[in-house]
Amino acid sequence: MARPRSFDEDRVLDTAMRTFWANGYESTSTRDLCEALGLDRSSVYNAFTNKRELFKRALTRYMDATTADQLRILDNHELPAIERIRALFAKILQTEAENRRDGYGLGCLTVNTTMELAGRDPEIALMLDRNTEQRVVNLSAVIESGQVGGDIGSTRDPAELARFVNAVIAGIRVAAQGGADDATIEAIAATAMDALA
């Protein structure tokens, strides 16, 4: 009979996610993970096979959580479409402020992973592409409803605008990670909002 796990898998995945998010995949060693998780190497490998599998699980957890947060904001039909997008930017700015350490943000685990791994790991690239497409579909639906309702003035294709908004969000994350202050990233978001109006 297999011995039951003596740890909380959700807590382990959250901790692994934060460790990869702060350090990147390549710069996070198995020893780093074991220390952060408070587990020995055999426990980590028995539960997750290897570092890559643990990373994939942690990345999936991050993508699921951030996409669900975005969808909660975008699905708030009590607000006009343009205000839902403004609320999404406000959430991004708030998250960046909360995650800033010594003047630098953590960025976004999906953006960081795109830059680090997507060009050389087809499986990770596919995971990231699927997540991006889901977010673009959600944004596109809100933008289209705003165009129909008249609160979004841009006549560009909703999917193009959704990709633009998604790219601006990624840019905000990278800028914050590079040390851009609150005023700078707020101006980036405001400029994007002006482009939609």
Side-chain angles (χ1 to χ4, degrees):
M1 175 180 282
R3 207 172 69 193
R5 288 185 186 159
S6 59
F7 59 83
D8 178 343
E9 188 169 306
D10 289 339
R11 184 197 66 76
V12 166
L13 285 173
D14 284 341
T15 302
M17 179 183 74
R18 294 291 296 189
T19 305
F20 285 123
W21 189 4
N23 303 317
Y25 175 74
E26 294 291 349
S27 294
T28 302
S29 68
T30 303
R31 173 181 278 181
D32 295 332
L33 288 166
C34 290
E35 287 177 6
L37 301 173
L39 298 171
D40 60 31
R41 184 181 296 259
S42 64
S43 294
V44 173
Y45 284 165
N46 286 339
F48 302 103
T49 309
N50 56 41
K51 175 180 139 179
R52 188 171 187 281
E53 290 304 311
L54 176 55
F55 177 74
K56 285 167 49 183
R57 295 272 303 278
L59 178 62
T60 297
R61 188 171 181 84
Y62 179 89
M63 291 189 300
D64 289 349
T66 55
T67 302
D69 282 347
Q70 176 179 312
L71 193 54
R72 271 192 292 278
I73 293 167
L74 295 178
D75 273 355
N76 180 3
H77 294 283
E78 294 179 7
L79 294 176
I82 193 75
E83 294 307 319
R84 287 183 258 163
I85 295 170
R86 191 180 316 280
L88 177 61
F89 275 119
K91 175 67 174 175
I92 299 299
L93 296 173
Q94 175 191 351
T95 302
E96 287 307 317
E98 290 171 354
N99 288 321
R100 186 169 284 133
R101 300 291 179 268
D102 300 321
Y104 296 91
L106 283 178
C108 167
L109 182 57
T110 55
V111 174
N112 298 350
T113 302
T114 298
M115 293 188 295
E116 182 182 7
L117 297 177
R120 56 192 170 88
D121 189 321
E123 184 181 14
I124 297 292
L126 183 59
M127 290 172 65
L128 294 165
D129 286 346
R130 286 178 176 156
N131 181 253
T132 297
E133 192 54 36
Q134 183 180 4
R135 285 184 280 114
V136 166
V137 166
N138 296 341
L139 278 165
S140 184
V142 174
I143 290 167
E144 185 173 10
S145 74
Q147 289 173 325
V148 170
D151 58 296
I152 293 179
S154 175
T155 58
R156 294 189 72 92
D157 178 74
E160 291 175 3
L161 289 171
R163 287 187 183 86
F164 164 71
V165 169
N166 193 61
V168 170
I169 290 170
I172 286 171
R173 303 283 204 186
V174 171
Q177 192 174 27
D181 61 15
D182 289 345
T184 300
I185 61 175
E186 285 167 10
I188 294 169
T191 303
M193 291 302 302
D194 289 347
L196 293 175

